[in-house]
Amino acid sequence: MNVCIVYDSEGGHTKALAQAIALGAEQSGEATVFLNHVDKTDVRKLPEMDAIIWGCPGHFGSISSGLKAWIDRLGYLWAEGKLINKVGAVFCTTATTHGGLEATLLNLLTPMLHQGMIIAGLPGNIQENALYGSYYGVGITCPIESDVLLTQNDQALGKALGERVVQIVKRMK
């Protein structure tokens, strides 16, 4: 199966989270992962994917301009129904606690719903997600005063999302 992970990243945190998600998907041994920055991801390749995961830093509770511009190029795919029934998942990072994580995740999900994609969230039975995460996808806080890109919990949440997406695609096939 083919899994496309698209990210926009400014300080490296979101890229590191995308890499953790990719690792989780790759560990299944069943997924070929295409991990790219938004500037290097060709929207014409998306119909070849079984799953699409996208993420960015949260900007005032919304999608970063880089990822939003990329999403805006998906119009012809919508018109042709090319992403209907693809599995989709989202992730984001913010610099502050309560910095709009869930609002950003919900904003990231909306274009997937418009495309007719099947959304894969992250359930609460995943240990790291029960008290730390979000059900809409992976949203983590990366304080700007820290030199640590991702904590162990952040990495575990990313890997769990990658694993879950692969499990769902596998069930659908």
Side-chain angles (χ1 to χ4, degrees):
M1 81 183 63
N2 292 324
V3 177
C4 178
I5 302 174
V6 182
Y7 67 90
D8 191 11
S9 187
E10 295 163 358
H13 297 97
T14 312
K15 178 181 180 180
L17 183 54
Q19 290 168 331
I21 294 166
L23 182 61
E26 289 169 341
Q27 285 180 340
S28 71
E30 300 182 60
T32 301
V33 176
F34 300 88
L35 172 67
N36 283 303
H37 186 273
V38 69
D39 292 340
K40 296 179 180 173
T41 304
D42 185 355
V43 298
R44 293 172 296 196
K45 301 281 186 189
L46 294 180
E48 301 168 17
M49 300 298 133
D50 298 295
I52 303 162
I53 306 169
W54 62 51
C56 65
H59 286 191
F60 307 106
S62 194
I63 304 171
S64 69
S65 62
L67 185 59
K68 179 67 171 88
W70 181 83
I71 290 170
D72 286 345
R73 293 197 306 263
L74 303 180
Y76 86 94
L77 295 173
W78 170 84
E80 296 177 6
K82 296 286 188 179
L83 301 184
I84 292 173
N85 293 330
K86 304 284 185 190
V87 174
V90 298
F91 60 100
C92 73
T93 60
T94 60
T96 60
T97 305
H98 308 295
L101 282 173
E102 288 192 341
T104 302
L105 292 170
L106 289 169
N107 281 310
L108 287 165
L109 288 172
T110 301
M112 289 183 169
L113 293 167
H114 280 254
Q115 292 284 350
M117 297 173 71
I118 298 166
I119 304 300
L122 204 55
N125 68 339
I126 295 169
Q127 180 182 358
E128 294 81 8
N129 203 41
L131 298 174
Y132 182 73
S134 170
Y135 305 113
Y136 309 117
V138 176
I140 61 170
T141 302
C142 305
I144 55 175
E145 68 275 0
S146 174
D147 292 333
V148 176
L149 285 179
L150 297 180
T151 67
Q152 286 184 331
N153 274 343
D154 299 339
Q155 291 172 13
L157 286 169
K159 286 172 60 177
L161 184 64
E163 291 168 5
R164 178 157 166 76
V165 166
V166 168
Q167 290 169 358
I168 291 170
V169 171
K170 193 167 130 181
R171 279 188 163 192
M172 290 177 60
K173 289 188 169 223

